[in-house]
Amino acid sequence: MQTANVIIDGHEDIAFNSLILHRDFLLPAYESRLKSSDVRKNGSPTVGLPDLVKGNVRIVFGTIWVPPCLPGVEEPCYRTPNEAYAMAVQQLDYYKDLASRGHVKLVLTRGDLESVLDKAGQIGIVLLMEGGDPVLSPEDVHEWYAQGLRILAPSWHGTRYAGGTHNPGPLTDAGRELMRELGKSHLILDISHMSDESFFQALKLFPGTVIASHSNCRAFVPTDRQLSDEMIRALISRDGVIGAVLNNPFLLNGWREAGSVKSQVTLGHVVQHIRHICDLAGDTRHVAIGSDLDGGFGVESTPSEVDTVADLGKLAFALSSNGFPDEDVIGVMRGNWMRILEKSLPA
Ligand SMILES: [Zn+2]
C-alpha cells in the first residue's frame, strides 16, 4: 500500500453541503467561497475534492445527515421518518453518483480500502449515517448495509432511537432493538452526539466495533456534545477510536463568548484534546481526526493554521513538535482509523 502521508478524516458532511447548501464538491474550497450564498450562516467553505487530493486526505467518512425540523432549522428538514428516509436516500444516491462518475470510490470492503490507498489522487468515501431517523425500523439496518452504509450514529439531536445533543434521555424501545439488530450486522456504531445515558446503554447492548467519529473532550469544553472521561475510558476499553473535531468552540471553552477570534485557537488546542485521550488510554491508539470541516461552520471557526481541508497534514507537525513519536503521529493521522476499518469491513 502507498500510504506515505496519507490522512483519514472520520467526519465530513459532503452530501448535505452539496444537496442542501448547493456547494459544488468538485470545486476547490477557494472557488466555492466566491459562489457560496450561505456563508453568513454556515461559514466559508473549506472542503472541496481538489483540496482533499492536495492534502492527501485519501479516506473520508462521508455523512448521510438530514436535519429534523427543530425550531430555527431551515427547510428542507424532516418532520416524519418517511421524510427523513427520502432525504437520506437522496444523499446515498449522491455519493453513488460521485462514485459512478469516477470522482470518488465508495469503500465497502477491505479490498476497496487497499485499492484507494494504492492509487495516488484517489479519494475513498466510507458512508456514515449521522442521526438514525432515516432507518425506518431497526431491521432495516441490514438493507442500509447492503446499500453501502458502514457506520451508523443513532443520535444527532434526540432521534426515535436515542437521546442526543441538548436532548438527553435513554435509548427508546426502538433504540434497544436497533442495538440488537446492529449487533447482528457488521456496521460500526458511532456514538458521537449520543446522550450519556443512551451511550452507556448502547455499549451494554451492542457487542461490535464502536467509535466516536467527531467528538472532543468534556474535560476542556464542558457540554454534553463532548465526551466525559468516563465515556472516553469506556470507548478505550472497547478498543474504540475518537475523531478530534477542528471546530473552535469545541476546542476552546468560551471561544464564541470571547468574540470568536480565529487566531485564539491553534492546532495546539487540538493536540491538547488528543493528548488527554492518550493520557487516559496510556497509549496513542484511540484517537484520530474527525474534522467535521464544513459541518455547519467554516474557515472562520477553524484553528488558525487551517484554511482548507488540505491543511490537515499540519496536525502531524503539531503532534511531532509536541513530542509525539513518528509512529504515534501516523496512528492519529490514519493508523487508528485503519485499524477500525480493517477489522470491520468485509473482505
Ligand atoms: Zn455532528
Side-chain angles (χ1 to χ4, degrees):
M1 271 189 252
Q2 311 284 312
T3 55
N5 302 320
V6 162
I7 295 169
I8 302 182
D9 187 359
H11 199 99
E12 292 181 19
D13 294 334
I14 292 168
F16 176 88
N17 290 335
S18 184
L19 292 176
I20 309 296
L21 302 186
H22 307 293
R23 294 177 176 181
D24 186 348
F25 176 60
L26 303 184
L27 292 180
Y30 271 50
E31 285 187 42
S32 292
R33 276 178 205 176
L34 302 174
K35 296 180 182 213
S36 290
S37 54
D38 62 303
V39 165
R40 260 182 66 196
K41 181 162 175 280
N42 298 294
S44 301
T46 63
V47 177
L49 183 63
D51 308 294
L52 292 171
V53 172
K54 185 176 165 198
N56 214 7
V57 184
R58 295 276 288 285
I59 308 271
V60 174
F61 300 179
T63 68
I64 292 173
W65 174 68
V66 298
C69 294
L70 300 168
V73 172
E74 279 174 25
E75 302 273 354
C77 50
Y78 68 85
R79 290 184 176 77
T80 66
N82 282 319
E83 287 176 5
Y85 173 81
M87 291 175 75
V89 168
Q90 278 180 355
Q91 295 194 14
L92 172 70
D93 288 345
Y94 168 79
Y95 287 114
K96 285 182 175 175
D97 181 60
L98 274 182
S100 74
R101 289 187 287 140
H103 297 301
V104 301
K105 184 173 176 67
L106 296 185
V107 175
L108 307 178
T109 65
R110 292 200 294 277
D112 294 336
L113 188 62
E114 276 186 35
S115 82
V116 168
L117 295 175
D118 269 339
K119 197 171 162 197
Q122 170 87 276
I123 304 298
I125 302 277
V126 181
L127 295 176
L128 184 166
M129 184 185 287
E130 178 175 24
D133 278 335
V135 177
L136 290 177
S137 73
E139 61 271 22
D140 286 1
V141 295
H142 308 293
E143 176 56 23
W144 277 102
Y145 187 86
Q147 291 295 323
L149 191 71
R150 290 294 177 267
I151 306 170
L152 177 63
S155 302
W156 179 64
H157 193 264
T159 63
R160 304 201 315 294
Y161 296 110
T165 302
H166 308 319
N167 191 208
L171 293 179
T172 62
D173 288 348
R176 288 194 295 275
E177 188 56 33
L178 182 73
M179 291 306 143
R180 284 187 278 271
E181 289 299 327
L182 278 178
K184 296 182 212 162
S185 79
H186 292 287
L187 281 158
I188 296 166
L189 173 64
D190 177 5
I191 61 74
S192 282
H193 285 286
M194 207 178 247
S195 68
D196 292 37
E197 195 178 351
S198 289
F199 168 88
F200 286 106
Q201 291 174 329
L203 286 200
K204 274 194 191 132
L205 291 170
F206 174 73
T209 304
V210 188
I211 65 167
S213 68
H214 63 315
S215 294
N216 288 348
C217 301
R218 206 178 289 177
F220 305 116
V221 181
T223 74
D224 72 348
R225 175 65 183 81
Q226 318 304 338
L227 301 173
S228 69
D229 287 359
E230 196 187 356
M231 294 163 101
I232 294 169
R233 283 198 192 91
L235 286 169
I236 291 165
S237 75
R238 294 283 292 268
D239 199 31
V241 171
I242 299 159
V245 187
L246 272 67
N247 180 15
N248 289 352
F250 290 12
L251 290 162
L252 176 63
N253 191 36
W255 180 75
R256 277 204 193 100
E257 295 73 9
S260 301
V261 180
K262 181 176 168 88
S263 61
Q264 280 185 340
V265 179
T266 68
L267 289 174
H269 291 90
V270 183
V271 173
Q272 181 186 42
H273 285 258
I274 289 172
R275 189 186 292 285
H276 183 71
I277 294 167
C278 296
D279 287 346
L280 291 173
D283 62 45
T284 59
R285 291 168 47 83
H286 302 283
V287 61
I289 301 171
S291 76
D292 203 13
L293 288 177
D294 292 354
F297 63 97
V299 69
E300 300 81 359
S301 305
T302 60
S304 57
E305 302 93 326
V306 177
D307 189 29
T308 75
V309 74
D311 295 317
L312 284 185
K314 291 178 180 172
L315 180 61
F317 295 105
L319 288 164
S320 292
S321 59
N322 279 279
F324 281 72
D326 286 355
E327 200 184 305
D328 295 355
V329 172
I330 290 167
V332 173
M333 302 306 286
R334 66 171 176 276
N336 295 332
W337 281 141
M338 281 290 285
R339 182 176 85 248
I340 293 289
L341 294 174
E342 281 171 348
K343 83 173 169 190
S344 307
L345 294 175

